[in-house]
Amino acid sequence: MTPVSTPALTGAALLLRDFSLEMTGKDTPKLEAAGESVPEGTRVNVTYLGNEDLPMRRTAARSARRLGFVPVPHVSARRLGSPRDLEEFLAALRADGTGQHVFVVGGDPAHPHGPYGDSLSVIRSGLLRKYGVRGAGISGYPEGHPQIPEAALWAALDQKAAALAEEGLTGDVITQFGFDPDAVLDWIERLRERGIGLPVRVGVPGPAGVRRLLSYATRFGVGTSASIARKYGLSLTNLMGTAGPDRFIHALAERYDPAAHGEVKLHFYTFGGLGATSAWIAGFRAQEGPK
């Protein structure tokens, strides 16, 4: 029998292979409802927010696993009150079979609740490997961070990438969402120039109202100049409208060069709209797939 050749993915379809999603602990019913539109094996990040508790986080991660996805629970360093809190969480994930991959982030609190002031201290604790974690994601900020100087962000990335290797963990970099594809790709080029070869998952906001997107952008310190907003497809004169990331993804695909940028995928921030985001991705992938 002559083997059937599979068309090579190009452009936006290449970036959309093996995309990942983000959900909160409260989004479990939405994940159940959206399950059929999300490919099996999709990585689903489960947040670690202040208004969530351990049972809620465990339920969300278990649901993702039961539905055929790969759960990626978040570990929020500054929300951990003690090493015991971290061990309790990791032990619960191991017991549930949901803890092989995690995403380690500093977290929102201005002051640590315990001994972990940043994600690096969690990685270096040795507890991830002790409890069966094989890979850990870390944060990247192509458009900067409102409270952290650029030099400090780069130094932290260097240290975290090195710490993952020292701990024998695989990893990837998940970026904060943004609206400027040129800034994202320029940042990835700088990342590669620094010798960091980890896969990058570019943060993309799911389809949402313009007012809501701008609100999140302000909250997370993402630049939203008028020119960037127009490039993305946001209308600053029609805040009642909606916008999807199609322009952003197409622009990203036009400049994406695997030889220069390495392995790049997309990570969708759903902002509570997990169903709408999943449906949008399914339609966009069908449109952009091999012809």
Side-chain angles (χ1 to χ4, degrees), residues 38-291:
V38 181
E40 185 176 356
T42 296
R43 295 167 72 96
V44 177
N45 284 40
V46 180
T47 58
Y48 194 114
L49 303 179
N51 60 357
E52 300 168 348
D53 56 19
L54 179 57
M56 187 181 296
R57 297 177 187 121
R58 292 183 71 176
T59 297
R62 285 196 299 252
S63 295
R65 181 174 181 268
R66 176 173 51 80
L67 291 168
F69 309 132
V70 178
V72 184
H74 288 199
V75 179
S76 181
R78 287 191 288 273
R79 292 194 186 281
L80 296 166
S82 67
R84 181 177 179 178
D85 287 347
L86 176 56
E87 294 204 60
E88 179 185 19
F89 183 51
L90 294 175
L93 297 179
R94 182 175 64 180
D96 294 340
T98 59
Q100 292 187 344
H101 305 278
V102 299
F103 176 68
V104 189
V105 64
D108 293 334
H111 302 287
H113 296 173
Y116 304 110
D118 52 30
S119 54
L120 180 63
S121 59
V122 171
I123 296 171
R124 285 178 170 167
S125 71
L127 294 175
L128 298 182
R129 283 197 65 189
K130 177 181 176 181
Y131 285 92
V133 174
R134 296 198 328 227
I138 55 178
S139 300
Y141 299 90
E143 295 186 42
H145 189 287
Q147 277 89 44
I148 305 175
E150 182 180 11
L153 289 173
W154 282 116
L157 258 178
D158 290 337
Q159 292 170 342
K160 287 185 286 188
L164 288 175
E166 291 165 3
E167 292 291 325
L169 299 170
T170 61
D172 56 17
V173 181
I174 300 180
T175 76
Q176 178 58 275
F177 77 89
F179 299 124
D180 187 351
D182 291 326
V184 170
L185 290 172
D186 290 345
W187 180 88
I188 294 175
E189 289 176 12
R190 292 185 64 186
L191 187 76
R192 302 312 185 204
E193 290 169 359
R194 299 177 78 92
I196 299 176
L198 296 173
V200 174
R201 291 183 177 269
V202 175
V204 179
V210 172
R211 187 187 299 275
R212 190 175 193 187
L213 286 174
L214 292 175
S215 173
Y216 278 113
T218 300
R219 175 182 171 188
F220 294 112
V222 176
T224 53
S225 68
S227 61
I228 296 302
R230 283 195 300 271
K231 181 189 296 186
Y232 187 83
L234 299 174
S235 173
L236 300 183
T237 60
N238 179 19
L239 298 181
M240 301 306 293
T242 60
D246 47 319
R247 287 192 191 182
F248 176 88
I249 295 173
H250 279 138
L252 201 69
E254 286 178 8
R255 267 195 61 194
Y256 171 51
D257 177 5
H261 301 114
E263 187 176 354
V264 176
K265 303 175 183 180
L266 301 181
H267 176 77
F268 288 87
Y269 293 94
T270 62
F271 301 137
L274 198 152
T277 299
S278 301
W280 186 93
I281 295 170
F284 191 75
R285 292 183 81 209
Q287 174 185 314
E288 298 294 326
K291 302 297 189 288

